Amino acid sequence: MAQQTSTRSRYWRLLSRFAAASVVATGISQLVFLLSYSLGATPVVSTVLAWLSGAIPNFVLNRRTWGGGGRAALRGEILRYGAISVGTALLAALATHNAESLATVLFPDARAGQVAVVWGAFVATYAVMFVVKFFLIDRLVFRRSRHQVPSTTRA
């Protein structure tokens, strides 16, 4: 029972820190996406710019959260995180591209309506991927820190 409580507590701590890192990265990404798309960039370009602006601080903050595996593990962590992050960005690019097609039909002469629909698709993609990414990052990216033997306490 104590082990189950400890595991549950660990996941709540990780989830809260992951959420905080995601809020920071999302804030940066959303600002870059809205600004670039509002100024006329395509949805795909805006998505890539937004992804780049949020992925780096997100990786750094998540590595601190999970503890990372030191210098030796950094390359593998970056590659695994990058694969997950690029996959998410590709899904967002696809969603925003399709949303723009819909938005131009729904709001042919209203740029604000188009921006709202495309931005909604961008936000929705990242909202769904939040849960998926948490488990992928925990199980695949920073896996070494999960298997570390807990230090013993002195009496």
XYZ file of all heavy atoms in Angstrom, residues 73-128:
404
model
N 23.285 10.676 -20.989
C 21.951 10.339 -21.520
C 21.322 11.475 -22.325
O 20.285 11.268 -22.948
C 21.021 9.970 -20.360
N 21.949 12.642 -22.327
C 21.331 13.824 -22.937
C 20.982 13.617 -24.408
O 19.875 13.942 -24.830
C 22.242 15.042 -22.768
C 21.702 16.362 -23.305
C 20.382 16.732 -22.620
C 22.730 17.465 -23.107
N 21.883 13.069 -25.191
C 21.618 12.895 -26.625
C 20.375 12.032 -26.859
O 19.500 12.371 -27.644
C 22.804 12.268 -27.332
C 22.486 12.030 -28.818
C 23.536 11.243 -29.534
N 24.677 12.095 -29.797
C 25.890 11.633 -30.033
N 26.114 10.347 -30.017
N 26.871 12.457 -30.292
N 20.287 10.906 -26.172
C 19.133 10.027 -26.329
C 17.846 10.696 -25.872
O 16.799 10.539 -26.500
N 17.925 11.448 -24.781
C 16.739 12.159 -24.295
C 16.272 13.198 -25.310
O 15.072 13.315 -25.581
C 17.045 12.833 -22.956
C 17.246 11.857 -21.825
C 17.804 12.487 -20.569
O 18.137 13.692 -20.561
O 17.906 11.753 -19.562
N 17.223 13.924 -25.885
C 16.863 14.932 -26.892
C 16.237 14.263 -28.114
O 15.224 14.736 -28.642
C 18.087 15.778 -27.296
C 18.475 16.706 -26.141
C 17.806 16.587 -28.553
C 19.780 17.451 -26.351
N 16.826 13.155 -28.560
C 16.291 12.466 -29.742
C 14.884 11.921 -29.485
O 13.992 12.061 -30.330
C 17.227 11.340 -30.178
C 18.561 11.792 -30.782
C 19.463 10.586 -31.041
C 18.340 12.585 -32.060
N 14.689 11.282 -28.333
C 13.355 10.736 -28.023
C 12.335 11.854 -27.828
O 11.206 11.787 -28.338
C 13.431 9.827 -26.791
C 14.200 8.535 -27.055
C 14.159 7.581 -25.883
N 14.721 8.105 -24.657
C 15.993 7.987 -24.275
N 16.861 7.359 -25.051
N 16.396 8.484 -23.124
N 12.727 12.901 -27.102
C 11.832 14.042 -26.901
C 11.528 14.698 -28.250
O 10.382 15.049 -28.537
C 12.455 15.060 -25.942
C 11.604 16.293 -25.796
C 10.537 16.315 -24.906
C 11.828 17.423 -26.571
C 9.729 17.436 -24.789
C 11.032 18.539 -26.459
C 9.985 18.543 -25.569
O 9.188 19.656 -25.468
N 12.566 14.852 -29.069
C 12.386 15.468 -30.383
C 11.406 14.702 -31.247
O 10.570 15.297 -31.925
N 11.482 13.381 -31.226
C 10.558 12.564 -32.020
C 9.113 12.780 -31.570
O 8.209 12.943 -32.401
C 10.928 11.088 -31.920
N 8.902 12.795 -30.270
C 7.549 13.024 -29.738
C 7.078 14.427 -30.085
O 5.945 14.638 -30.525
C 7.522 12.793 -28.212
C 7.781 11.313 -27.897
C 6.199 13.267 -27.605
C 8.125 11.051 -26.441
N 7.958 15.388 -29.904
C 7.611 16.779 -30.137
C 7.350 17.050 -31.622
O 6.398 17.750 -31.979
C 8.741 17.665 -29.614
O 8.371 19.002 -29.622
N 8.190 16.499 -32.498
C 7.985 16.669 -33.940
C 6.678 16.001 -34.365
O 5.921 16.558 -35.171
C 9.189 16.123 -34.738
C 8.867 15.998 -36.222
C 10.404 17.020 -34.545
N 6.397 14.823 -33.823
C 5.130 14.150 -34.129
C 3.933 15.008 -33.743
O 2.965 15.132 -34.511
N 4.016 15.636 -32.589
C 2.945 16.537 -32.146
C 2.831 17.735 -33.073
O 1.727 18.146 -33.449
C 3.198 16.995 -30.698
O 3.271 15.841 -29.856
C 2.094 17.915 -30.203
N 3.967 18.300 -33.459
C 3.952 19.452 -34.365
C 3.364 19.082 -35.724
O 2.621 19.868 -36.317
C 5.365 20.010 -34.527
N 3.686 17.879 -36.213
C 3.125 17.443 -37.498
C 1.603 17.289 -37.410
O 0.883 17.673 -38.337
C 3.769 16.134 -37.951
C 5.232 16.245 -38.395
C 5.812 14.859 -38.666
C 5.365 17.139 -39.621
N 1.135 16.733 -36.297
C -0.321 16.637 -36.102
C -0.957 18.022 -36.057
O -2.020 18.252 -36.646
C -0.637 15.877 -34.809
C -0.381 14.383 -34.829
C -0.560 13.798 -33.423
C -1.312 13.695 -35.816
N -0.301 18.947 -35.363
C -0.825 20.319 -35.281
C -0.808 20.996 -36.650
O -1.748 21.714 -37.007
C -0.030 21.129 -34.264
N 0.247 20.774 -37.423
C 0.322 21.361 -38.763
C -0.799 20.822 -39.656
O -1.441 21.579 -40.396
C 1.688 21.081 -39.392
N -1.047 19.525 -39.569
C -2.130 18.923 -40.337
C -3.483 19.483 -39.892
O -4.319 19.852 -40.730
C -2.105 17.400 -40.178
C -3.183 16.617 -40.922
C -3.019 16.783 -42.432
C -3.118 15.145 -40.543
N -3.673 19.573 -38.588
C -4.942 20.096 -38.059
C -5.160 21.548 -38.454
O -6.269 21.927 -38.864
C -4.970 19.952 -36.537
N -4.117 22.373 -38.367
C -4.288 23.793 -38.704
C -4.467 23.985 -40.208
O -5.241 24.860 -40.631
C -3.112 24.645 -38.191
O -1.875 24.143 -38.709
C -3.073 24.676 -36.670
N -3.794 23.185 -40.992
C -3.973 23.260 -42.454
C -5.425 22.939 -42.825
O -6.056 23.655 -43.603
C -3.009 22.303 -43.150
C -3.236 22.203 -44.620
N -2.864 23.203 -45.502
C -3.830 21.237 -45.369
C -3.221 22.847 -46.721
N -3.804 21.655 -46.675
N -5.937 21.842 -42.266
C -7.327 21.466 -42.545
C -8.310 22.477 -41.969
O -9.348 22.758 -42.581
C -7.615 20.066 -42.008
C -6.896 19.003 -42.804
O -6.607 19.186 -43.987
N -6.577 17.889 -42.164
N -7.991 23.021 -40.804
C -8.866 24.028 -40.197
C -8.925 25.287 -41.056
O -9.971 25.921 -41.174
C -8.388 24.365 -38.793
N -7.801 25.644 -41.660
C -7.813 26.833 -42.520
C -8.713 26.614 -43.730
O -9.439 27.529 -44.139
C -6.409 27.210 -42.965
C -6.439 28.509 -43.778
C -5.077 28.961 -44.225
O -4.360 28.158 -44.864
O -4.752 30.129 -43.955
N -8.676 25.416 -44.286
C -9.570 25.119 -45.418
C -11.027 25.303 -45.015
O -11.823 25.886 -45.759
C -9.344 23.687 -45.911
O -8.042 23.533 -46.399
N -11.371 24.813 -43.836
C -12.727 24.980 -43.326
C -13.027 26.440 -43.010
O -14.103 26.958 -43.345
C -12.923 24.119 -42.072
C -14.252 24.246 -41.359
C -15.403 23.775 -42.256
C -14.230 23.461 -40.053
N -12.072 27.108 -42.387
C -12.284 28.500 -41.959
C -12.511 29.442 -43.138
O -13.312 30.372 -43.042
C -11.102 28.976 -41.127
N -11.833 29.213 -44.248
C -12.026 30.095 -45.404
C -13.401 29.914 -46.033
O -13.926 30.831 -46.645
C -10.921 29.881 -46.474
O -10.883 28.512 -46.844
C -9.565 30.325 -45.952
N -13.987 28.730 -45.845
C -15.355 28.502 -46.324
C -16.355 29.144 -45.362
O -17.308 29.800 -45.775
C -15.640 26.984 -46.474
C -17.113 26.721 -46.745
C -14.776 26.388 -47.575
N -16.118 28.949 -44.056
C -17.031 29.486 -43.054
C -16.966 31.014 -42.943
O -17.977 31.665 -42.716
C -16.730 28.880 -41.676
C -16.960 27.381 -41.522
C -16.475 26.921 -40.148
C -18.432 27.053 -41.716
N -15.753 31.553 -43.077
C -15.534 32.998 -42.902
C -14.716 33.545 -44.068
O -13.567 33.946 -43.900
C -14.791 33.272 -41.584
C -15.473 32.734 -40.372
C -15.039 31.551 -39.782
C -16.548 33.406 -39.806
C -15.665 31.047 -38.656
C -17.183 32.908 -38.684
C -16.742 31.727 -38.113
N -15.311 33.598 -45.279
C -14.530 33.986 -46.458
C -13.964 35.408 -46.389
O -12.900 35.670 -46.939
C -15.511 33.828 -47.614
C -16.865 33.814 -47.005
C -16.695 33.315 -45.603
N -14.649 36.295 -45.714
C -14.204 37.684 -45.674
C -13.885 38.169 -44.261
O -13.757 39.373 -44.040
C -15.296 38.596 -46.271
C -15.547 38.279 -47.738
O -14.553 37.995 -48.455
O -16.720 38.294 -48.166
N -13.760 37.257 -43.331
C -13.517 37.642 -41.941
C -12.236 36.985 -41.428
O -12.247 35.828 -41.003
C -14.711 37.251 -41.070
N -11.140 37.731 -41.485
C -9.850 37.180 -41.043
C -9.892 36.786 -39.571
O -9.316 35.769 -39.181
C -8.740 38.209 -41.296
C -7.356 37.741 -40.941
C -6.872 36.664 -41.878
N -5.499 36.290 -41.515
C -4.935 35.175 -41.847
N -5.599 34.308 -42.589
N -3.718 34.899 -41.488
N -10.592 37.538 -38.753
C -10.668 37.213 -37.319
C -11.328 35.850 -37.109
O -10.879 35.061 -36.263
C -11.431 38.300 -36.562
N -12.365 35.549 -37.863
C -13.011 34.237 -37.777
C -12.090 33.126 -38.219
O -12.044 32.055 -37.601
N -11.340 33.360 -39.284
C -10.379 32.370 -39.761
C -9.300 32.111 -38.706
O -8.957 30.959 -38.432
C -9.736 32.836 -41.066
C -10.705 32.909 -42.222
C -10.101 33.575 -43.452
O -8.923 33.930 -43.475
N -10.924 33.754 -44.477
N -8.785 33.192 -38.133
C -7.745 33.058 -37.100
C -8.294 32.258 -35.918
O -7.622 31.369 -35.383
C -7.226 34.443 -36.648
C -6.365 34.326 -35.393
C -6.443 35.103 -37.778
N -9.530 32.536 -35.507
C -10.119 31.832 -34.364
C -10.253 30.334 -34.630
O -9.936 29.509 -33.762
C -11.486 32.434 -34.027
N -10.710 29.959 -35.815
C -10.888 28.545 -36.147
C -9.536 27.829 -36.214
O -9.360 26.751 -35.645
C -11.668 28.373 -37.477
C -11.631 26.934 -37.959
C -13.107 28.847 -37.315
N -8.572 28.439 -36.885
C -7.262 27.805 -37.041
C -6.545 27.724 -35.692
O -5.947 26.704 -35.346
C -6.410 28.551 -38.094
C -4.999 27.987 -38.163
C -7.082 28.463 -39.464
N -6.623 28.778 -34.913
C -6.018 28.779 -33.587
C -6.683 27.719 -32.703
O -6.023 27.011 -31.952
C -6.120 30.155 -32.948
C -5.504 30.253 -31.593
C -4.244 29.884 -31.223
C -6.119 30.750 -30.413
N -4.036 30.136 -29.884
C -5.177 30.672 -29.363
C -7.383 31.269 -30.136
C -5.457 31.081 -28.077
C -7.644 31.690 -28.845
C -6.697 31.592 -27.830
N -8.004 27.581 -32.821
C -8.719 26.548 -32.062
C -8.211 25.152 -32.385
O -8.052 24.307 -31.502
N -7.931 24.901 -33.656
C -7.384 23.597 -34.055
C -5.992 23.393 -33.464
O -5.649 22.295 -33.011
C -7.334 23.496 -35.577
N -5.207 24.447 -33.436
C -3.863 24.380 -32.861
C -3.933 24.057 -31.367
O -3.265 23.142 -30.889
C -3.158 25.729 -33.095
C -1.747 25.782 -32.598
C -0.723 25.205 -33.324
C -1.432 26.431 -31.421
C 0.595 25.266 -32.886
C -0.120 26.497 -30.962
C 0.893 25.907 -31.704
N -4.777 24.773 -30.652
C -4.935 24.554 -29.208
C -5.484 23.155 -28.929
O -5.001 22.451 -28.029
C -5.860 25.633 -28.588
C -6.202 25.307 -27.151
C -5.216 27.002 -28.670
N -6.476 22.732 -29.688
C -7.093 21.420 -29.471
C -6.087 20.292 -29.669
O -6.065 19.327 -28.892
C -8.287 21.234 -30.405
N -5.238 20.408 -30.674
C -4.227 19.376 -30.911
C -3.311 19.249 -29.705
O -3.038 18.152 -29.217
C -3.397 19.710 -32.168
O -4.267 19.804 -33.286
C -2.342 18.646 -32.425
N -2.828 20.377 -29.204
C -1.917 20.337 -28.064
C -2.621 19.924 -26.775
O -2.002 19.308 -25.904
C -1.175 21.668 -27.915
C 0.003 21.724 -28.859
C -0.131 22.238 -30.139
C 1.226 21.203 -28.487
C 0.934 22.253 -31.016
C 2.306 21.209 -29.361
C 2.159 21.740 -30.617
O 3.215 21.742 -31.484
N -3.891 20.214 -26.653
C -4.635 19.781 -25.463
C -4.746 18.253 -25.421
O -4.522 17.629 -24.380
C -6.027 20.413 -25.444
N -5.069 17.657 -26.552
C -5.169 16.197 -26.618
C -3.794 15.573 -26.394
O -3.638 14.607 -25.648
C -5.757 15.748 -27.975
C -5.613 14.248 -28.177
C -7.222 16.165 -28.081
